[in-house]
Amino acid sequence: MNSYVETLNPKVSGMWHTDEQMVKLKEKDKWAYCWNVIDAETRFLVANNITEGRAIGEAREVFQKSKEVADNPDIIVTDGLHSYKKAIRKEFRETEHIGRAGLMKKENNNKVERFHNTFRERDKVIRGFQNPDTAQDWATAFRLYYNFIRPHSTFNGLTPSQVAGIKLNLPNNRWEGLLRKSLETRLK
């Protein structure tokens, strides 16, 4: 299914919200970071990536994944992590960066923070991932679920993919419908 949905082109806005959250690894009681890039208008999760650090290289990785999904945004909103400033400058030459966004500020990152809460609801049940690879597998699967299966209350039951103009006409059982479409496409 992931191979299939990667061929679809969401129509996202010109503003993305980016942030990273810590995820627990069972391997030596370590932590990793799940970087998330979410579109401001459609709430489409453009990309996510698991890394063990938060340096410029890791920030660039999630932006490189984002560029494979959608056109460069006009604006990227982030918190004050220094890695974002240089990574955005290197990956998106013409994109405005609004850094140091905060919960109570005019420029906030609440949309991606809200996504983190949704992710965390599932993550805490798992009680930690075996290693960074299993965390990445789970984050990728969760992106598929969040974008194509889970209805969003802000959009009266539509999914972010529907709001982003992806018309799949899935039945009530969206998992089955998406699986069938991905298999049909694979067999062609």
Side-chain angles (χ1 to χ4, degrees):
M1 285 191 287
N2 280 321
S3 297
Y4 171 65
V5 300
E6 287 173 2
T7 67
L8 306 174
N9 298 314
K11 293 176 183 81
V12 295
S13 71
M15 180 183 278
W16 294 350
H17 292 270
T18 303
D19 197 18
E20 75 291 340
Q21 69 185 107
M22 293 176 69
V23 293
K24 182 139 178 61
L25 302 177
K26 292 179 183 175
E27 175 181 274
K28 300 177 188 171
D29 278 339
K30 291 178 16 181
W31 292 87
Y33 298 92
C34 182
W35 302 75
N36 297 297
V37 177
I38 196 164
D39 179 59
E41 288 181 23
T42 64
R43 307 301 198 279
F44 192 88
L45 184 58
V46 179
N48 57 8
N49 194 40
I50 301 290
T51 67
E52 293 187 56
R54 297 189 321 159
I56 297 163
E58 286 91 358
R60 288 185 72 184
E61 284 178 27
V62 76
F63 291 136
Q64 289 164 358
K65 286 185 173 190
S66 300
K67 293 191 304 187
E68 294 173 9
V69 176
D71 293 333
N72 292 359
D74 300 319
I75 300 168
I76 296 178
V77 180
T78 69
D79 60 17
L81 181 66
H82 188 68
S83 301
Y84 287 123
K85 184 177 182 179
K86 290 183 180 179
I88 290 168
R89 195 172 340 127
K90 288 185 180 284
E91 295 298 327
F92 305 102
R93 302 219 187 282
E94 303 296 318
T95 298
E96 177 185 351
H97 175 218
I98 298 174
R100 301 208 179 276
L103 288 173
M104 304 305 281
K105 294 182 180 179
K106 179 182 175 192
E107 285 92 10
N108 62 61
N109 226 4
N110 295 354
K111 291 174 182 168
V112 73
E113 295 291 353
R114 177 62 190 100
F115 169 77
H116 286 171
N117 290 338
T118 302
F119 184 93
R120 182 71 64 219
E121 289 171 17
R122 305 282 191 252
D123 169 42
K124 69 182 175 185
V125 174
I126 295 169
R127 296 184 185 163
F129 299 99
Q130 292 300 320
N131 56 51
D133 292 334
T134 58
Q136 183 63 60
D137 289 344
W138 194 88
T140 300
F142 193 79
R143 186 175 71 240
L144 185 140
Y145 165 75
Y146 181 84
N147 284 337
F148 294 91
I149 306 300
R150 181 183 178 271
H152 201 293
S153 59
T154 300
F155 302 124
N156 297 318
L158 295 178
T159 64
S161 64
Q162 290 172 308
V163 177
I166 298 174
K167 307 282 187 235
L168 296 178
N169 299 317
L170 298 176
N172 285 340
N173 185 337
R174 291 179 177 150
W175 277 116
E176 180 183 3
L178 188 58
L179 179 60
R180 286 184 187 279
K181 284 198 178 287
S182 64
L183 289 172
E184 289 167 8
T185 303
R186 190 171 187 196
L187 295 174
K188 289 181 182 179

